[in-house]
Amino acid sequence: MQPDRHDAFMRRAIDVARGATATGDVPVGAVVFGPSGEELGAGCNQREATGDPTAHAELLALRAAAATREGWRLDDCTLVVTLEPCTMCAGALVLARISTLVFGAWEPKTGAVGSLWDVVRDPRINHRPAVYAGVLADECGALLRTFFR
């Protein structure tokens, strides 16, 4: 995926994030795109809806993409998410071999792609995706600010 397409793909993730508010979940959306820009899987936070502490948007999108591809290796795919991933989600996207991570708003409390930690760029791991941070950050952050008001 080319960086000039990041805004368009982030707008899709923002639309997905809006679905979380219907169940009282924090509005975070994630979408996995294939090498030709096709959508392979999407998810929004569903921790409140499901009672599952691992039901983060990123994990749900990765699971959906793996099901679509019928395999866990997503090494030519891009994960687009409205909020900087936490350690769990950063670890999962590394293990899924995501090639590119695009995220919107920074998460200074739990972010693991540069805020508190930098899991995805740790030289000790065997896979490090390209990272594009701050894509439509104001719009992504506005979703969160509105939710927490």
Side-chain angles (χ1 to χ4, degrees), residues 51-105:
D52 179 354
T54 69
H56 288 206
E58 299 95 323
L59 292 184
L60 298 174
L62 290 170
R63 289 175 187 151
T68 298
R69 292 192 100 189
E70 298 179 345
W72 63 270
R73 284 185 173 86
L74 303 173
D75 56 354
D76 54 354
C77 297
T78 297
L79 173 64
V80 180
V81 60
T82 58
L83 185 65
E84 178 185 5
C86 69
T87 52
M88 174 179 67
C89 295
L93 72 93
V94 166
L95 292 173
R97 307 296 194 269
I98 287 290
S99 293
T100 305
L101 168 65
V102 177
F103 72 86

Side-chain angles (χ1 to χ4, degrees), residues 8-32:
F9 288 118
M10 185 59 75
R11 290 191 195 293
R12 171 66 180 129
I14 290 169
D15 287 342
V16 171
R18 289 186 178 112
T21 57
T23 59
D25 279 285
V26 177
V28 176
V31 184
V32 176

